[in-house]
Amino acid sequence: MSVAAPATASTEDQPTLPAASAATIVRRLRFHVFVAVAALAAAVYVTHGLWQQPYTNVLADNVGDQAFFEWVLSYGVHLLRDGGDPFFTTMLNTPLGVNLAANTSVTVYAILLAPLTVLAGPQITFVTILTLNLAGSAFAWYLFLNRWIAGNRISAAIGGMFCGFAPGFISHANGHLNWTSGWIAPLVLWQLLKLREKGRWLRNGAILGAMLGTFFTLAAEGLFFTALAGGVFVVAWSLSRTTWPEARAALTTVLAALGVAAVVAGIILAYPLYMHFDGPQTFKGTGFNQTHYAEDLGAYFSFSQRSLAALAGFGSDLAPNPTEATSFFGLPLMILVIASLFMLWRRADPGRRATLRALIIVGLVFMVLSLGPRLIFLDNETDIPLPYALLQRLPLFDSALPLRFALVLVGVIGVVLALAADTLLDRERVPHPAQTAFATAFAFALIPIIPLPLLYTTRAPEPAFIADGLWKKYVPEGGTMSALPFAINVAADGQRWQAYTMARGGRQFDIPDGYFLGPARAAPRGTAGSAPSPARPTGSSCAPRCTATSPRSTTTIGRAPAPTSSIGASTRSSWRRPSPARRACSTAPRWRSSRPTCSARPTRWAACWCGASARAWIRSTGNRRG
C-alpha cells in the first residue's frame, strides 16, 4: 500500500481556492470526469485479458490467489443467505477450519458486491473489483494531490496516474485484491490531515475510526504501512524549527481526534482483532523467508517485465516472483526524482523545505526497510546487515514482507512528480526552455514504465458433476468432498468449484483442503506454515456404496494420505491406485472431469468424502485438471 505524505502543514503551503463561479465548477468537474475516464480506460487495458473471457481466463502468474479471492467473494453470498462467521469457517480445511481474519478476507467487498456475485458469479466480481481498484487508486490519488499538493490539475493527474499504475501495483494486480486497493491510502491521509481542524476533532476522529475499521479487512497490511509512514512524516515535519510552533498548536486537537478514532476503530474491530491475534487456527509470522522476500537494491533502478521497457529488452527478473515486483521504477525515473527534489528545494521557502525534508526521510526510511535484513544487490545476497534485522521479530513487522515497504515510495514519488510538474507548468516561475527540458525528462522517465496487460491463461471448466448438482446424490447434508489433486495454489480447481456452488446457493459441501494461511505442522502455536492434518480413521472393509455410519467412521475404497494444510496451500500427497477389487466396490457414477465429454480411458482419480469425516475414492475420467 503506497502512502503520500501531506506535502504541507503550514498555511503558506495550502492552496487557496478562488471564488468559484459556475463556469469554474463546470471546468473542474469536467476535468475530474476526464481523469476518471482515463483511469478506468487504463485499468480496462491492463485487465482486458480477463474481461475477454472472464469465465474461462485466469491470471497466469497467480492462479491460486485469484481462486482464493473468488472463494471469499462467494463466501460473502453464503454469509448473507445462510449466516455464519465472517472471520472463521470450516468449509475449508474441514474439520479444523480456516481463520479468515488472519487471511485477507476482503469481507467488505464480499458483502457489498454479493448481488453481483449472485447474478454473474465470483469470476465477474473478481475482475470488476480488480479493475475498479486500479482506476480508483489513480483517481483517489489525483483528488488527494489536487486538494493538498498541487494547484494545477494536470500536475495532480500526472502524479495520480503514476500512483495508480506504478509497476509495483501492476505486479500486485496479479491476483491481490488487497494490495491493489491503493485508493485506501489517499483517503486515510486526507482524513488524517483534517484532524487538526479546530472544533471538529470529534467528527473527524469518528470518521477516521470508521474508515480504519472498514478498511481493515481489505488491506490490513496496507493500513499498517500507511500509519507507519504517516507517523514518520509527522514526527520529521514537527521537529523542524519552522513548523514546530504550528505542530505544537495543533497537538491537542490532533491527539483528541486520534483518541476518538482509536475508540471507534476499537469497537468495530474488537472481534476481528481477537480472531486475528488469538482466534482458532491463527498464527504468527508469515511463513515466508523475509530475506528472500526483500527488495533487491538494483530493482529500484531496473524495469519491470510487464512494462514497455521490457518490450525493448530492458526488463529485469530481480523480483522473487511476478506478483512481488514492488519497485522497478527504472534509472531515468530515479534520476528525475532526485533532480526534481533538488529543483524544489532550491525554490522552496522554509515551510516547504520542512515538508520536503519529511518527505525525503519517509522515502529513505521505507526504501531501507524494503531491503530486508541483509543487503541484496543484483540477485546476490551479501553479508551486510540492515536495520530490518532488528525489526523482523517485532509484532506486525514479523507478519510483513520487507519488499512491500517499497510500495510506500510510489506515493512519495507521486507527490514529488506532482510538485515538480506544478512548478514547471507555472510559466511565471520557470522559463519556457526549462519547461521543455523537464517535459522531455518526464516523458523519458515515465513512458518506459507504462504497464503491459496482465498475462492470462485458461482455467478448467466446472465439471457437470458439480455444476448440475449431481454431487448431492452422493454427499449427505453437511458432507465433505474433494477433488484430486487437492486444492493448492497452482491447482485450485476444487476450491473454485466450491466457490461457484456457494454463489449459486442451496446445499453446500465442505472440502478438507484449500489454499489459505494456517498454523504450522508440529510447530509452536501460532507459527505460520504447514498445519496438522485432522484425524480421519479409515475402515478396512469394502462396502457396496459410499456410506458413513458415524461422523468418525469411514468406508474406504482405495487409500490416500490425508491432505495437509500449509501456509497458503494444502500439500499434494502421493498415493497409490486401489486394487481392482476395491474399485469394484464403488457404486458412485463416473465424475465428469474438466472436459464436457467423458473419456473411456481413466486418467486420474477424484476423492469424495461422504459425511463429516467419512471418505471414499471414486474413479474419475477426463484430463489432468478435472
Side-chain angles (χ1 to χ4, degrees), residues 256-343:
L258 288 176
V260 174
V263 171
V264 173
I267 294 173
I268 298 174
L269 295 176
Y271 180 64
L273 288 177
Y274 159 73
M275 289 295 296
H276 183 90
F277 291 105
D278 201 44
Q281 293 298 103
T282 191
F283 53 88
K284 294 179 181 179
T286 65
F288 298 101
N289 186 332
Q290 290 188 322
T291 301
H292 177 71
Y293 284 94
E295 192 70 309
D296 190 306
L297 180 60
Y300 279 95
F301 307 94
S302 304
F303 293 109
S304 166
Q305 301 238 11
R306 300 306 300 163
S307 64
L308 284 183
L311 293 181
F314 295 105
S316 171
D317 61 352
L318 294 177
N321 62 55
T323 66
E324 298 290 350
T326 52
S327 59
F328 292 87
F329 301 118
L331 180 61
L333 179 57
M334 295 297 286
I335 294 176
L336 175 64
V337 169
I338 295 173
S340 297
L341 285 171
F342 181 76
M343 177 196 68

Side-chain angles (χ1 to χ4, degrees), residues 124 192 375 398 455 506 561:
I124 297 294
L192 188 65
L375 180 65
D398 65 346
L455 298 175

Side-chain angles (χ1 to χ4, degrees), residues 86-106:
F87 303 105
F88 187 82
T89 181
T90 56
M91 297 188 72
L92 284 178
N93 194 39
T94 189
L96 295 179
V98 174
N99 188 323
L100 295 177
N103 285 260
T104 306
S105 58
V106 293

